[in-house]
Amino acid sequence: MVNLTIDGRKISVEENTTIMEAARQNGIPIPSLCYLKGINEIAACRVCVVELEGKNRLITSCNNVAEEGMVIYTNSPKVRKDRHINVELLLSQHDCQCVTCARSGNCSLQSIANDLNIIDIPFEKQVEHKPWNKNFPLIRDSAKCIKCMRCVAICDKVQGLSVWDAEGTGSRSNVNVSKRMTIENAPCALCGQCITHCPVGALRERDDTEKVWDAIEDGTKTVVVQVAPAVRTAWGEQLGMKAEEATIGKILDAMKRMGADYVFDTVFSADLTIMEEANEFVHRFTSGELKGNPMFTSCCPGWIRFIKSQFPHRVKYLSTAKSPQQMFGAVMKTYFAEKIGKKPEDIFTVSVMPCVAKKAEREMELFYEEYAGHDIDAVITTRELVKMMRAAHISPETLEDRESDSPMHAGTGAGVIFGATGGVMEAALRTAYAIITGENPEADAFKAVRSSGFNANDGVQEAELEINGIKVRTAVVSGLGNTRRLLEKLDRGEVQYDFVEVMACPGGCVGGGGQPIHDGEELAFERGKQLYRLDRDYEIRFSHENQDVLQLYEEYMEKPNSHKAHMLLHTQHE
């Protein structure tokens, strides 16, 4: 232990603890902008400076370690003056258009400037404006960038893609797409982790809320909304709701109040995905088609973008099943359209997703019989959902629990855990077991595939399971940096698996790039626990027992992996 004094308080902390962490552990907050523990400790913003007794120059607290006998002042006149100037300099290169910023009210720079009572900027304004394709799902506003390098660090160290890089020097330094590429040509997976780790509004998702409002106002359109499992774990965070209050039923109620004609829980199409994917896995695994290679899940579009650009030789081992989002849209524009007597082109499908990559995935075209178009017409993130609720002046306390509409009403515990890393694998194994043995396993028989945390086993959860005497080697991985290391081991022959689940975002969809932003906090695994609690409380916990899914097959698809199912629910990865 190391003993030191901070603001007159004698404290003890473990060796190698930074001054900032030492202060925070003892209830003394030191402001910061660029700091991300273990990821970005470069003291670029210099907002975290403190005064060390006996030293003339101020030191940064984020990357200086607490030492025995130190006497630290975090808010001395010298510190306040220096911190004030540093933030003013940052604001001189920031457009300060807070009212029209996506992060207004949830911006670290805004908060610190308010705390320091900065009401005027004495320096000449020099704001950088660089053009950007506003149709791309990820938007960068160079005029808001404060050069904290967080996006560079998270993309490089956590996701392993190095899409962003610094260029220039000194006051002329800035952040841009690396290697002088455009964002369209860069290996961006659209995971959105750079968005959720940006302290300001320099990075955001493309706003698609107006597309939804336009469709709602168009009397010729039937607006059909689906809500992903992970959204229910997070949407209430922005509205001050407790987890148990922020139910899926209240989201459905909100969408109905906004004008949606039909509202559904994506848990239905998650169960549908499992029916297709589990049957596909059993066939490919038992027939020897995989030839010792694992079949990979295909639900995460960020992962699909990653494998196509980074490991194209592995694409043939992806499941051909579409994601639950796309399956939902395909069913809506065929089976459901017939049910309600509407033309497919008059149905406008909306997805509420925790993900930015889903905005790109919706571009996938649907070709079936006489109809050609898109499975999904618009995707909004969890953050955009809350914006729409606020725009509609919906008070959360007035919302009621609404049931999904029929006939895609039913859902299971297996479908709801899709939003957590390991959930797709566990749900698929429950059904694969039933396909092979003809009976259900214990609902929690495969909980060994559940991930135990961000840093456990480099983000990889391995399990060797036995089904009717057949050994199945599985791996679950989240975070693209972890995924790269796993695939490289596969290529070198160091590990062997039969079935692998990949989620682009650490912790899975619950930690997606479209979820509410809490600067400096990682909430994915806490949100994931909510989904497992919901699964535990579901009356039905197996996708193959979803009665509405079984009815869909009986009335329209015949059986899993039928010709019709392949036409609508599968795709060719290229």
Side-chain angles (χ1 to χ4, degrees), residues 217-232:
E217 292 163 12
D218 186 342
T220 67
K221 297 292 184 184
T222 298
V223 178
V224 182
V225 178
Q226 63 166 319
V227 182
V231 174
R232 74 202 67 199

Side-chain angles (χ1 to χ4, degrees), residues 44 66 126 131 197 205 335 339 428 519:
Q126 293 182 342
H197 289 84
E205 72 271 42
Y335 172 70
K339 282 273 187 186
D519 197 6

Side-chain angles (χ1 to χ4, degrees), residues 138 159 161 188-194 302 354-357 480 504-505 511-514:
L138 185 150
Q159 297 298 73
L161 282 168
C188 179
L190 285 173
C191 65
Q193 293 303 303
C194 57
C355 178
V356 178
L480 293 175
C505 297

